[in-house]
């Protein structure tokens, strides 16, 4: 039993990575294997629309034909018993690197037939951890949840299941006083980091532990 976590944040030790590490600790607490991939360490592009994964009798039918540093990650994802994605929200969406990864991961399995069938035969658990600066009310008001839902639906269609953990009002800077940050109440942010973020970490831990238990 192995759980793969994929970090779509350029920061390897901040909010998103911390939550993913917590999730993997949860996995580990149940005795399952873990691996964390940082997308920003890799040189790759999104789908290039070559359609090799859809070509009748093609060598790469059902598989992304592009060979770059994402290729081993796509292979790991296919072997994983569960996948936990993590991304900050940049301008209302996941980061560009996460988006490019999802294009390459998901498109290869989608069949352009009447049923929109799916070439990935096994079903696995997937979770998506989103981190964002806005608070919960702003998130709802701006309508971010629509995007989270559509990603959930797509992951569910391919992998068979999907859930999301929404982590709002994150702490963004090492030292707020060094940056132009008058839009934010630093004290309130620090309080939230101290009081609420640890609870978000617990939720991530529980997600990991639950995934490992359900699969073992
Ligand atoms: C380029 C950029 C764009 C951002 N856009 C948004 C946004 O649209 N909405 C939001 O809530 N937060 C936004 N943020 C804040 C990040 O989503 C938030 O700080 C996140 O927790 C960062 O994750 P990290 O700590 O793992 O890097 C943005 C940050 C950056 C750097």
């Amino acid at each position: 039993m192995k759980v793969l976590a994929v970090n779509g944040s350029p920061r390897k030790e901040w909010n998103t990575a911390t939550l993913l590490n917590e999730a993997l600790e949860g996995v580990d607490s149940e005795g399952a294997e873990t691996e964390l991939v940082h997308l920003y360490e890799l040189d790759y592009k999104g789908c290039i629309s070559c359609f090799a994964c859809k070509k009748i009798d093609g060598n790469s039918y059902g598989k992304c034909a592009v060979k770059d540093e994402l290729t081993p990650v796509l292979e790991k994802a296919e072997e994983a018993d569960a996948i936990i994605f993590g991304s900050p929200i940049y301008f209302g969406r996941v980061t560009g690197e996460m988006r490019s990864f999802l294009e390459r991961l998901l498109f290869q399995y989608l069949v352009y037939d009447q049923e929109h069938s799916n070439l990935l035969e096994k079903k696995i658990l997937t979770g998506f951890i989103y981190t964002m600066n806005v608070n919960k009310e702003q998130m709802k008001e701006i309508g971010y949840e629509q995007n989270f839902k559509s990603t959930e639906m797509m992951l569910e269609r391919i992998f068979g299941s999907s859930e999301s953990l929404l982590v709002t009002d994150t702490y963004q800077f090492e030292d707020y006083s060094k940056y132009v940050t008058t839009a934010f109440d630093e004290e309130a942010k620090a309080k939230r980091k101290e009081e609420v973020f640890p609870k978000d970490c617990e939720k991530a831990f529980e997600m990991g532990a639950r995934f490992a238990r359900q699969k073992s």
Side-chain angles (χ1 to χ4, degrees):
M1 160 67 188
K2 184 165 180 180
V3 179
L4 176 70
V6 183
N7 179 23
S9 170
R11 303 199 286 184
K12 289 199 266 180
E13 291 176 1
W14 273 74
N15 298 286
T16 314
T18 302
L19 289 151
L20 287 172
N21 276 310
E22 287 288 338
L24 292 184
E25 278 191 26
V27 173
D28 185 58
S29 73
E30 296 289 331
E33 262 185 86
T34 65
E35 183 167 357
L36 175 61
V37 170
H38 296 287
L39 290 177
Y40 277 77
E41 282 181 347
L42 308 174
D43 188 9
Y44 66 96
K45 289 196 167 30
C47 176
I48 58 164
S49 204
C50 68
F51 295 112
C53 63
K54 318 255 172 279
K55 192 157 187 213
I56 299 164
D57 297 331
N59 291 338
S60 201
Y61 187 72
K63 290 260 168 299
C64 181
V66 176
K67 299 294 169 227
D68 59 15
E69 288 182 22
L70 196 64
T71 308
V73 185
L74 299 177
E75 287 165 5
K76 284 174 208 280
E78 187 150 324
E79 283 158 22
D81 297 297
I83 307 174
I84 304 179
F85 306 85
S87 180
I89 294 303
Y90 283 3
F91 296 102
R93 303 281 192 278
V94 294
T95 58
E97 264 69 2
M98 175 54 80
R99 174 84 197 171
S100 294
F101 167 56
L102 289 174
E103 287 171 6
R104 298 267 301 277
L105 177 67
L106 303 176
F107 195 59
Q108 58 184 347
Y109 298 128
L110 273 186
V111 184
Y112 274 173
D113 60 7
Q114 291 290 329
E115 300 77 34
H116 294 297
S117 41
N118 166 18
L119 293 169
L120 186 72
E121 276 163 23
K122 69 176 189 177
K123 294 294 159 221
I124 64 169
L125 299 169
T126 72
F128 212 123
I129 301 176
Y130 298 96
T131 74
M132 64 207 89
N133 171 67
V134 292
N135 63 35
K136 210 170 179 177
E137 293 68 42
Q138 291 165 325
M139 175 187 80
K140 285 177 190 291
E141 211 174 282
I142 306 165
Y144 287 175
E145 285 166 305
Q146 187 74 29
N147 297 323
F148 305 151
K149 265 272 157 283
S150 74
T151 302
E152 233 174 58
M153 276 166 59
M154 188 51 83
L155 290 174
E156 221 168 278
R157 195 154 126 200
I158 302 292
F159 294 105
S161 95
S162 173
E163 63 182 81
S164 303
L165 173 59
L166 313 180
V167 177
T168 55
D169 210 354
T170 55
Y171 201 76
Q172 289 198 74
F173 306 96
E174 195 86 64
D175 181 350
Y176 274 68
S177 70
K178 289 193 178 144
Y179 301 89
V180 179
T181 59
T182 44
F184 312 121
D185 178 348
E186 198 268 329
E187 233 173 81
K189 283 273 187 197
K191 190 166 183 278
R192 179 151 180 114
K193 183 184 168 202
E194 209 160 289
E195 293 174 4
V196 181
F197 191 68
K199 292 189 181 124
D200 292 324
C201 287
E202 275 170 35
K203 288 181 196 158
F205 183 97
E206 279 158 21
M207 180 195 279
R210 188 160 34 78
F211 279 16
R213 277 198 302 275
Q214 282 179 26
K215 251 313 188 195
S216 58

